[in-house]
Amino acid sequence: MAKRARYRLSRREFVNLVVGALGSIMGAVVGIPIIGYLVSPALKAQKSEAWIPLGPLENYPIDVPTPFNFTRTKVHGWERTVSSYGVYVLRTAEDQAKVFSNVCTHLSCRVKWREDLGQYACPCHDGFFDKNGDVISGPPPRPLDQYETKVEDGNLLIHFVEG
């Protein structure tokens, strides 16, 4: 017959064991929500694309590039960044429009519509684009970026993808 090892728990060991177990449970109950609260902003996925409303399409004259500016707020963790963007709206028909970024494709300077030339001009390196955003002259390697557009209830919207 095998001998059983007899181990008796003393009162002090029992109290230490129970206090340790209850302390661990209470620490988990209080600590896990605190850790989740502190870490969750950093783990949230930031939506990087959206449809930006530019207002009623009828406000934009036909065949005249019209500037429009908007801001986007990006929250990354506990950091909040507000960025300003600019576009040119070229209404091509009663119900159609093209929207171009006002950022030069060469070195990201802001282009400006020059009515006297009938062109977008980049002041940094003398890049020129025609009314449809195509490169006329200068160092820009490609046309101005064009946004996807749609018209809903008479309002013009652009599909803005950040990044």
Side-chain angles (χ1 to χ4, degrees):
M1 187 168 236
K3 270 188 160 181
R4 281 181 150 180
R6 295 188 81 191
Y7 181 75
R8 291 191 60 134
L9 201 60
S10 71
R11 183 180 296 174
R12 179 179 302 253
E13 291 171 333
F14 176 75
V15 169
N16 285 341
L17 181 69
V18 169
V19 168
L22 290 176
S24 298
I25 291 170
M26 288 174 23
V29 167
V30 173
I32 289 174
I34 290 173
I35 291 171
Y37 175 77
L38 294 175
V39 173
S40 66
L43 301 178
K44 285 183 180 174
Q46 181 68 31
K47 193 173 182 180
S48 62
E49 63 181 58
W51 285 94
I52 307 292
L54 303 184
L57 183 60
E58 65 189 26
N59 289 351
Y60 297 99
I62 293 178
D63 211 34
V64 176
T66 307
F68 183 87
N69 295 309
F70 61 95
T71 58
R72 297 274 299 163
T73 302
K74 186 174 186 177
V75 178
H76 186 73
W78 297 271
E79 179 185 338
R80 178 178 289 243
T81 305
V82 178
S83 300
S84 178
Y85 299 93
V87 296
Y88 278 98
V89 178
L90 178 62
R91 186 174 172 194
T92 55
E94 286 296 324
D95 59 345
Q96 294 179 346
K98 293 179 180 179
V99 178
F100 301 102
S101 170
N102 71 350
V103 176
C104 180
T105 55
H106 178 226
L107 291 177
S108 302
C109 296
R110 302 278 175 153
V111 298
K112 190 169 187 162
W113 173 251
R114 300 242 343 237
E115 190 66 40
D116 56 332
L117 300 174
Q119 300 172 349
Y120 300 99
C122 177
C124 296
H125 301 100
D126 290 332
F128 291 94
F129 302 87
D130 68 9
K131 192 179 281 188
N132 290 311
D134 295 321
V135 177
I136 295 174
S137 66
R142 58 185 168 81
L144 292 175
D145 293 331
Q146 186 173 351
Y147 291 98
E148 180 184 352
T149 62
K150 69 178 178 181
V151 178
E152 285 184 357
D153 299 328
N155 289 317
L156 178 64
L157 295 102
I158 60 170
H159 187 224
F160 181 77
V161 179
E162 205 164 3

